[in-house]
Amino acid sequence: EAGVAQSPRYKIIEKRQSVAFWCNPISGHATLYWYQQILGQGPKLLIQFQNNGVVDDSQLPKDRFSAERLKGVDSTLKIQPAKLEDSAVYLCASSPFRPQGASGNTIYFGEGSWLTVV
Amino acid sequence: GENVEQHPSTLSVQEGDSAVIKCTYSDSASNYFPWYKQELGKGPQLIIDIRSNVGEKKDQRIAVTLNKTAKHFSLHITETQPEDSAVYFCAALISSGSARQLTFGSGTQLTVLP
């Protein structure tokens, strides 16, 4: 089974420029997540999609970050304009959907897209 | 929101010894506790998980225990090998409708000395 695919793996941009990251989840996984991992810290959730709808974007800095999952499969995360503090690894993850009440969902992560803002 | 604390931040052991990493969580609504291993330049890889209705789970050299009353859970690695060297993250998940809020600890850098 193929894992979560992400591209590009590495990106260096100047502050105030824009960048976009792409993710293809594990086949059949209805739920897709974007996480931000700053060096030396654990990943933090930015946004969760269920099919092509947003379930939780409370931690997404909406003034500069946007994400979409138009056809319920691939997703794109965009940052515009980038700030120095956006330097981090952007991790895409996916999980199969289980109905309300089920305890726990296994979440699988991709290799990440490493962003350096200079 | 949920808060997960993880200790120690660094851990060095001799090859063949055991390693223990401990985590505490704050929200009793958390019902699923995965552990991830992250090697340099790679994404987090799930190594073991435990659900809130289970007290202990073992998979070969790796085991996890959960104490719901005390809100803490631990990872045990026995017979450590150099390839176990990595950063390990604990996490706690709260499910609310279709929302899945996974909160991570700050990570433990495990070094296994040959």
Side-chain angles (χ1 to χ4, degrees):
Chain A
E1 181 181 74
V4 177
Q6 291 189 242
S7 67
R9 287 296 319 277
Y10 305 95
K11 192 76 176 177
I12 301 175
I13 62 172
E14 295 182 350
K15 58 184 180 183
R16 292 187 289 274
Q17 286 188 326
S18 64
V19 63
F21 302 114
W22 172 84
C23 172
N24 182 245
I26 293 173
S27 178
H29 282 193
T31 308
L32 184 147
Y33 314 80
W34 284 101
Y35 283 79
Q36 181 192 58
Q37 185 177 23
I38 293 172
L39 189 65
Q41 299 180 17
K44 289 183 171 59
L45 179 68
L46 291 174
I47 189 168
Q48 177 194 341
F49 292 94
Q50 182 69 32
N51 296 309
N52 60 350
V54 175
V55 174
D56 181 4
D57 64 356
S58 58
Q59 301 302 309
L60 189 72
K62 298 180 186 64
D63 57 335
R64 298 182 300 105
F65 287 65
S66 64
E68 60 183 14
R69 193 185 185 199
L70 293 175
K71 296 183 179 179
V73 180
D74 294 5
S75 177
T76 303
L77 176 71
K78 295 180 182 178
I79 307 174
Q80 181 180 14
K83 292 186 175 181
L84 297 177
E85 59 261 37
D86 297 332
S87 295
V89 181
Y90 291 86
L91 295 162
C92 182
S94 70
S95 66
F97 176 69
R98 289 183 184 159
Q100 184 175 0
S103 60
N105 284 86
T106 303
I107 298 175
Y108 300 90
F109 285 83
E111 298 285 61
S113 293
W114 293 64
L115 174 66
T116 301
V117 182
V118 297
Chain B
E2 176 64 281
N3 181 49
V4 177
E5 294 193 358
Q6 182 172 347
H7 300 280
S9 56
T10 61
L11 178 61
S12 291
V13 299
Q14 288 294 138
E15 182 177 357
D17 287 350
S18 296
V20 180
I21 302 171
K22 298 183 178 182
C23 291
T24 61
Y25 62 99
S26 61
D27 197 326
S28 57
S30 290
N31 58 11
Y32 171 69
F33 306 90
W35 287 86
Y36 289 88
K37 175 183 179 182
Q38 188 172 29
E39 296 175 322
L40 196 62
K42 296 190 175 182
Q45 177 190 8
L46 180 73
I47 56 171
I48 196 168
D49 56 14
I50 190 166
R51 286 171 165 75
S52 58
N53 57 348
V54 176
E56 184 173 355
K57 182 177 179 180
K58 188 174 181 180
D59 182 6
Q60 298 183 348
R61 297 186 297 109
I62 296 173
V64 59
T65 59
L66 171 65
N67 183 326
K68 283 172 51 179
T69 303
K71 294 194 184 72
H72 65 69
F73 55 115
S74 301
L75 178 71
H76 304 252
I77 306 174
T78 59
E79 301 173 23
T80 54
Q81 301 167 3
E83 51 265 38
D84 294 330
S85 296
V87 179
Y88 290 80
F89 290 98
C90 62
L93 182 129
I94 295 175
S95 301
S96 176
S98 56
R100 301 288 183 265
Q101 179 67 250
L102 187 65
T103 303
F104 283 81
S106 54
T108 296
Q109 173 69 62
L110 173 64
T111 303
V112 180
L113 304 169

